[in-house]
């Protein structure tokens, strides 16, 4: 990719949004969207969940995801398993794995989300 096609932005330029299935102050800033911002397949965002905020149980049939937690603590559901996540935790979620996330802490749960389609 030539330098003139590179995208440089400030985090403050991007508005917070609450996507469908996200509740109680589960907000994200979509920093790089697949098909936009120069990316063909990668979706990259930062999320901040207020205490008690959550995303409902769901699965992505054709996408892989990585969550990398940078602040706070919460409870991540992976299928039947529930695990505590906090700063420096990260998880790779393969396609088809049901997952949910609840902020069970006293401060915001902040994490990076990288999503890519499955390449066949």
């Amino acid at each position: 990719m030539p330098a003139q096609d590179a995208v440089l932005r400030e985090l403050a330029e991007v508005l917070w949004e609450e996507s469908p299935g996200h509740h109680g102050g589960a907000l994200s800033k979509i920093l790089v969207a697949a098909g936009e911002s120069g990316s063909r397949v990668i979706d990259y965002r930062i999320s901040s969940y207020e205490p008690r905020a959550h995303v409902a149980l769901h699965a992505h049939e054709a996408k892989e995801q990585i969550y990398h937690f940078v602040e706070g603590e919460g409870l991540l559901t992976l299928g039947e398993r529930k695990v505590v996540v906090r700063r420096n935790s990260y998880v790779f979620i393969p396609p088809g794995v049901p997952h949910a996330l609840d902020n069970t802490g006293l401060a915001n749960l902040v994490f990076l989300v990288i999503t890519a389609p499955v390449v066949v």
Side-chain angles (χ1 to χ4, degrees):
M1 173 185 295
Q4 67 267 22
D5 293 334
V7 176
L8 174 63
R9 294 181 70 186
E10 292 288 328
L11 197 58
E13 295 178 49
V14 182
L15 299 176
W16 290 105
E17 57 184 74
E18 192 169 75
S19 299
H22 296 68
H23 308 282
L27 305 175
S28 293
K29 287 188 177 205
I30 302 170
L31 305 177
V32 176
E36 301 173 19
S37 310
S39 174
R40 288 177 284 175
V41 296
I42 296 172
D43 180 275
Y44 177 68
R45 58 186 69 197
I46 186 167
S47 294
S48 180
Y49 286 18
E50 296 174 9
R52 297 181 57 191
H54 67 280
V55 62
L57 188 68
H58 66 286
H60 305 282
E61 294 306 319
K63 296 179 183 175
E64 299 176 325
Q65 287 191 308
I66 298 170
Y67 291 179
H68 182 172
F69 298 90
V70 295
E71 290 180 25
E73 62 185 10
L75 192 61
L76 176 66
T77 302
L78 295 166
E80 298 294 319
R81 196 170 102 193
K82 292 184 183 282
V83 294
V84 172
V85 292
R86 55 178 55 105
R87 185 175 186 219
N88 294 325
S89 298
Y90 64 91
V91 61
F92 167 71
I93 305 170
V97 173
H99 54 284
L101 180 61
D102 294 88
N103 181 349
T104 56
L106 300 174
N108 281 14
L109 177 62
V110 180
F111 57 103
L112 304 172
V113 181
I114 300 96
T115 305
V118 176
V119 179
V120 207

